[in-house]
Amino acid sequence: MASHLIQGRTITMPVRVTDATVCSAMYPVRADAARAVIAYSGLDVAEVLPGKAVCTLVFVEYRDSDLDSYHEFGVTFLVRPPDASRARSTGLATLRKAGAFVHWLPVDQGFTLEAGRTLWGFPKELADIELRLSSPYKRCILRKDGRLVVDMLVRPGVPVAAAAATPLTAYTHQDGVTRRVPAKMWARGMRVRPGGALIRLGNHPIAKELSELGLPKRALMSTTLRASMTFGTAEAA
């Protein structure tokens, strides 16, 4: 069982999250624009429809985890596995094989920042992340360097059954290396709805990047859930 020393603490793999609230919205964006954003990774976006990729915005409150409690916001893109055929395909088959490339991942605590960058190459950086989760309407206000990036509201959806354990594949890129991160999630209290998310963009460069992808716009779907998770050892992709 691999272990790592982070700020004087021993972290053993896999890293475990016991309790978290996850709120997300998936947006259809132009595949060529998304490819330009993540070109540095060497990965290719998954086209769910011809010429359409998916950008997911997600905010998370980690209440109990091996990396302490913290808030997080993510900008991710569905991507094809690096070893996938060069011939592009679309539809459900593409979605089943797709992973999530983590393009930007601000957090509000220093320990998880160092651990995330060291263990997996996650692009974590410090930001001010205000989460309002006490009502059915979940809201995140994200500021970086004193500038608003995004104000995001996720409306309540309808309850749906969740799989007992869902395997996930995340991809990261740091210092010229693209990595694959295996993960699992156990979801409960999941609610889903078409659309269901509102976002307001600020004047930060990441907000400008999101606007160039065509946001704000209607989401494909939004989701809220409580979760437990594990994150395994990263490998070169």
Side-chain angles (χ1 to χ4, degrees):
M1 193 176 293
S3 61
H4 304 265
L5 193 65
I6 307 292
Q7 295 184 6
R9 288 169 52 182
T10 299
I11 301 297
T12 302
M13 308 299 282
V15 169
R16 300 183 182 278
V17 175
T18 305
D19 186 25
T21 294
V22 183
C23 307
S24 64
M26 302 173 68
Y27 292 92
V29 297
R30 291 195 342 266
D32 58 349
R35 283 193 179 96
V37 170
I38 69 166
Y40 64 91
S41 70
L43 297 171
D44 188 20
V45 296
E47 292 192 16
V48 293
L49 294 170
K52 290 295 183 181
V54 173
C55 174
T56 299
L57 304 185
V58 55
F59 55 91
V60 186
E61 179 183 51
Y62 292 92
R63 280 181 293 277
D64 187 8
S65 81
D66 291 347
L67 305 184
D68 301 332
S69 58
Y70 61 98
H71 296 168
E72 179 177 88
F73 186 90
V75 178
T76 73
F77 294 87
L78 285 182
V79 294
R80 291 149 36 92
D83 55 358
S85 167
R86 298 183 68 88
R88 290 174 183 161
S89 59
T90 61
L92 288 177
T94 296
L95 281 177
R96 290 192 191 101
K97 297 177 182 177
F101 176 68
V102 183
H103 173 58
W104 194 55
L105 197 67
V107 294
D108 68 347
Q109 298 295 327
F111 182 77
T112 186
L113 182 150
E114 182 173 339
R117 295 184 69 88
T118 301
L119 300 178
W120 303 289
F122 281 124
K124 293 190 175 186
E125 53 186 82
L126 285 179
D128 178 15
I129 305 173
E130 179 186 352
L131 299 186
R132 302 178 185 177
L133 306 177
S134 59
S135 82
Y137 292 81
K138 312 303 183 185
R139 187 178 179 188
C140 173
I141 303 171
L142 170 63
R143 293 181 175 87
K144 171 70 176 168
D145 301 324
R147 301 162 71 179
L148 178 68
V149 181
V150 62
D151 183 347
M152 179 174 174
L153 179 76
V154 177
R155 295 167 170 161
V158 298
V160 298
T166 303
L168 306 170
T169 301
Y171 293 95
T172 69
H173 185 86
Q174 181 176 262
D175 299 329
V177 178
T178 298
R179 297 172 175 85
R180 179 188 292 108
V181 180
K184 287 184 180 180
M185 181 174 70
W186 293 261
R188 57 193 186 276
M190 180 183 290
R191 290 179 173 271
V192 177
R193 66 180 290 166
L198 297 173
I199 60 172
R200 177 171 65 91
L201 298 178
N203 62 354
H204 187 273
I206 292 292
K208 182 176 186 297
E209 188 172 76
L210 292 174
S211 72
E212 290 171 349
L213 288 168
L215 302 185
K217 66 192 310 182
R218 177 179 169 82
L220 288 171
M221 62 181 292
S222 57
T223 306
T224 61
L225 56 90
R226 293 282 291 273
S228 303
M229 308 175 225
T230 61
F231 293 88
T233 300
E235 299 176 346

